[in-house]
Amino acid sequence: MSGGGPSGLIPAILAGLTLRGSGVLNGRPPRPPANTQRDPNDPGHETRDVNVRNTALVMGGLGLTALAVIGTMIWLMHTFAASQRRALPALTPQQTARLAPSPPNLQANPYADIDRERAATEARIAGYGYRDEAHTRARIPLDRAMELTVGRSLETVEPAAP
């Protein structure tokens, strides 16, 4: 024996790998030489490596298993949630009573009040009328007031000194 180990072990391993690669040990036909003509009717790949039927069955089985697991988890979640709801104490009348603000309710329908106020404001802006009870100051529609003031100075005119 040499210092590196048994003398025949490495050549035996190499010989086994060579025989395995050649197909002698596993029953495969030997490979044709590299530069030979190929048969035109040959499919061009190894048809024995993949069994399509078995592969489809395995994929279908995996899909059905995934659906079964998801369905089981959904059923378990609903079952546990229902058991937890049953374990809760019943609600008291105070907890189920409808909450209403205490009186006095100043606005029964605040949105209707806002709509009425907006309509009144629009009527004042769009119409003619007096601003005071003595009928000394008048108001005119906003559009008409803008027509009268466009192009005129808003500075007050001082009367000429005598």
Side-chain angles (χ1 to χ4, degrees):
M1 283 221 178
S2 64
S7 61
L9 185 60
I10 293 177
I13 291 173
L14 291 175
L17 290 174
T18 304
L19 288 174
R20 182 172 182 236
S22 68
V24 171
L25 295 179
N26 57 8
R28 285 191 293 179
R31 292 184 183 167
N35 294 328
T36 59
Q37 282 296 99
R38 205 171 62 91
D39 182 18
N41 296 326
D42 188 31
H45 55 66
E46 297 181 13
T47 58
R48 297 178 310 189
D49 285 349
V50 177
N51 187 341
V52 177
R53 180 178 180 271
N54 287 346
T55 303
L57 288 175
V58 168
M59 295 303 291
L62 285 174
L64 289 175
T65 302
L67 288 176
V69 168
I70 291 170
T72 304
M73 291 303 297
I74 290 172
W75 175 76
L76 284 173
M77 288 173 57
H78 285 293
T79 303
F80 289 140
S83 68
Q84 287 180 346
R85 280 192 299 271
R86 283 192 303 268
L88 291 175
L91 295 176
T92 64
Q94 293 169 338
Q95 291 172 326
T96 57
R98 184 173 180 268
L99 295 178
S102 59
N105 293 329
L106 300 178
Q107 287 182 310
N109 189 355
Y111 297 111
D113 294 342
I114 290 173
D115 290 340
R116 259 187 263 115
E117 184 62 31
R118 285 184 181 156
T121 302
E122 290 292 327
R124 277 194 306 273
I125 290 174
Y128 292 93
Y130 289 102
R131 292 186 61 193
D132 56 357
E133 295 292 328
H135 299 292
T136 58
R137 298 185 65 139
R139 70 172 188 271
I140 61 174
L142 186 61
D143 294 336
R144 179 66 180 140
M146 289 173 61
E147 289 173 7
L148 293 174
T149 57
V150 169
R152 295 179 54 194
S153 173
L154 297 178
E155 299 292 326
T156 57
V157 179
E158 296 182 15

